[in-house]
Every structure is written in structure tokens, then in C-alpha cells.
Amino acid sequence: MLETLPIASWTGPYAPEMKARALAGLESGAVLFFPNLAFALAEKEKQFLDARVSDGKAKNISRDPSGKLQSTALTGKPAKDLAAMMARFADSTSSLITDLLPYRDVERARTSFRPVQVKGRSQSKISDDRLLHIDAFPSRPMRGRRILRFFANVAPASPRHWHVGQPFEDFARGFLPRIGPDLPGKSWLYEKLGVTRGRRSLYDEMMLSLHDTAKRDDSFQANSPHQKVDFPPQSCWLVFTDMVLHAALGGEFALEQTFHLDIDQMAEPNLAPIRVLERLSGRSLS
Ligand SMILES: [Fe+2]
């Protein structure tokens, strides 16, 4: 479930044995854990370790690849400095991924900064990431593309506390018979109304249903097999969050970088969720 890699630098070259372990672990659904890799904050950036940096409305502050910052209460120079810190994180994680993994066509998506303590946040079940889930977003159709996320715990003292659930195939096999039939025309309508950016595919509908059904199922949340993981301060981890069941139960001050890639970039595309769901459902989901 955890593949621990003793990498201590954001740039390679990394040992071939390390690269092989990283690729095999990641694609088979492990969380790559880097206990010796810290994302260091400059002295002036430590002012951002404060929940008031958030505008209080969204869970996360996000920076899109064009540099636009959203959901922060900061303005002027401090906002610029926060954006610069997040851009440095995006650059560092991109360079590590390029040097560690064989993927050559990776899209750099959003960067997020999570300055609010996870514990005690109140929200609806569907948006509550303290519940076990796979990532699937209503407004962002992936059409089979993968969601790869790099996390860094930048809190001075508190660990980031996660649960990591059962393998994707076991999870999907249990839930597929329960997810509702697709509504004909729904994806077309959502695209026209601007709810989604681009049209959702059958794959997206299925992933969203799996996400929602799992979060609403109290018995699954309480009883399904999972492992507790504490990511210490100054550590990082990397995971395909569209495949690995995860829940973030506690912690403050994390940075996260999202990457997207086509499954033909993978060494073993058959392990991708779209291929697993196609095998289990007996239909094409493209
Ligand atoms: Fe998630």
C-alpha cells in the first residue's frame, strides 16, 4: 500500500532501481512515500502557515497553470508571494516527476495550498474528503485520463493523517452493481449549460457515481478495509488519486500539485481505472 522511497532531492538522476520501484508501485495502486523529501519554505513564506490566508469559503487556495490565484484572503504583495511559493512547488514536483518516471507527456494542472485544519470542517458528505473516496470531479471530465497528485506536508509539527482503502478493482466490483443507470442526454445538457468543461463520458459518469455512492455508504465507510497512514511534517507523497481510495482525516498546511496524463503514457495501461471498469462492466467507456 505504501512504497517508501528514500529520495532526498527534487532533481535526478535517480537510481534505476528507485525508478523501477516508483513506476511499478504507482501504477499498481501504491502511495509513493518520500519520508526524506521536504518542501522547504523560505522564512518570509512561513507567514502563510495561517488559516486566515484562506478566504474562508473554499477548502483550498488554488493556482491555475496561468498563475491565477483563487480563494485567498491575501491581496497585493503577500498574494504575489504566495503565488510564487505555489509556482515553486509546481516546478519542483514537475522536475521530480520528469526525472523519476518515464511519462513524457504530462499536463500540469492546478496547484493547491490547504491551510485549514481538516478536522472539524463541516460540509456535505459528497464534498467531505474525510470520507474514503476516489477522485472524480463533476466539472472536470477526464474521459479516462489519469489524475496524479503530489502532496507535501509543510506543517511545522502536525502529521497529515490519511486512510488508504482497498484495491480499486475490489472496490469497483462491490459498487458497480449499485450505481444508477446513466440518464440519456445528461452529459450533453451539462456541457451546454456550462456545468462541465467538455462533455462527460460514460467513464466520468461511472467514476462520479462510484465517488458519491461510496461517500454516502456509512457501512462501507466504517467497515471496509483500510490502513491508517500518518505523513509526518516535512514529508511528501505521490499517488494516482483516481484509483487509490483515500481519506484525509487530519492535518493542516499541505501543498498539492495535480497532473493529468493519458493512459497510453503508462507502462501498464490495463491497470488504469477505465480499463478495469471496462473489464468489469463488459462495455466500452470511452
Ligand atoms: Fe481526494
Side-chain angles (χ1 to χ4, degrees):
M1 200 174 278
L2 272 196
E3 179 68 78
T4 303
L5 298 174
I7 282 173
S9 162
W10 290 94
T11 52
Y14 302 115
E17 173 265 346
M18 190 85 76
K19 292 165 84 165
R21 273 172 57 200
L23 182 64
L26 201 59
E27 292 197 358
S28 61
V31 177
L32 298 189
F33 173 43
F34 308 104
N36 305 331
L37 186 69
F39 184 72
L41 302 193
E43 217 33 59
K44 67 170 186 185
E45 290 170 340
K46 293 188 180 156
Q47 63 175 308
F48 302 134
L49 302 180
D50 184 329
R52 288 170 300 180
V53 164
S54 155
D55 68 2
K57 292 178 199 130
K59 284 186 283 196
N60 306 325
I61 295 166
S62 72
R63 178 189 178 277
D64 70 24
S66 72
K68 194 171 153 240
L69 211 54
Q70 274 181 326
S71 310
T72 177
L74 301 177
T75 54
K77 173 90 165 67
K80 255 189 194 156
D81 289 345
L82 175 63
M85 178 183 89
M86 292 171 75
R88 195 172 82 250
F89 183 67
D91 289 342
S92 302
T93 54
S94 292
S95 116
L96 183 139
I97 280 176
T98 304
D99 290 351
L100 185 65
L101 298 166
Y103 308 142
R104 283 299 151 256
D105 188 8
V106 176
E107 177 203 347
R108 193 198 278 196
R110 279 190 186 183
T111 315
S112 68
F113 177 48
R114 305 168 176 216
V116 182
Q117 170 58 249
V118 175
K119 229 183 268 177
R121 231 162 29 193
S122 78
Q123 54 214 311
S124 75
K125 271 191 184 174
I126 296 304
S127 57
D128 189 348
D129 290 338
R130 293 170 301 186
L131 299 171
L132 277 170
H133 67 283
I134 40 135
D135 283 350
F137 304 105
S139 61
R140 284 168 198 279
M142 296 305 294
R143 294 187 210 89
R145 277 163 70 76
R146 305 300 313 271
I147 304 173
L148 180 62
R149 295 186 133 175
F150 202 111
F151 296 86
N153 184 355
V154 293
S158 37
R160 201 151 185 95
H161 180 46
W162 269 33
H163 285 179
V164 177
Q166 66 194 138
F168 181 78
E169 185 152 349
D170 297 348
F171 162 66
R173 193 176 284 118
F175 274 90
L176 272 186
R178 296 171 43 186
I179 65 178
D182 338 287
L183 299 175
K186 190 170 72 174
S187 299
W188 174 84
L189 181 66
Y190 281 178
E191 187 187 14
K192 288 290 163 210
L193 293 173
V195 176
T196 55
R197 297 177 195 187
R199 194 176 302 184
R200 280 185 204 156
S201 67
L202 212 44
Y203 169 74
D204 293 303
E205 301 294 352
M206 217 175 244
M207 290 292 277
L208 281 168
S209 295
L210 287 172
H211 170 275
D212 293 359
T213 312
K215 278 188 172 173
R216 288 197 185 105
D217 185 334
D218 295 341
S219 156
F220 171 77
Q221 291 295 332
N223 305 317
S224 72
H226 60 267
Q227 186 177 316
K228 294 177 180 167
V229 187
D230 274 335
F231 297 104
Q234 318 304 317
S235 72
C236 293
W237 58 107
L238 176 64
V239 54
F240 275 120
T241 53
D242 54 2
M243 175 179 185
V244 175
L245 275 161
H246 60 285
L249 286 102
E252 50 182 356
F253 310 130
L255 277 159
E256 173 272 334
Q257 175 64 44
T258 301
F259 300 95
H260 298 153
L261 58 135
D262 282 336
I263 66 168
D264 63 9
Q265 294 285 305
M266 297 174 64
E268 296 196 56
N270 277 335
L271 296 175
I274 188 167
R275 294 287 175 254
V276 174
L277 294 177
E278 285 181 334
R279 271 199 306 278
L280 292 175
S281 66
R283 60 199 292 195
S284 163
L285 302 179
S286 319

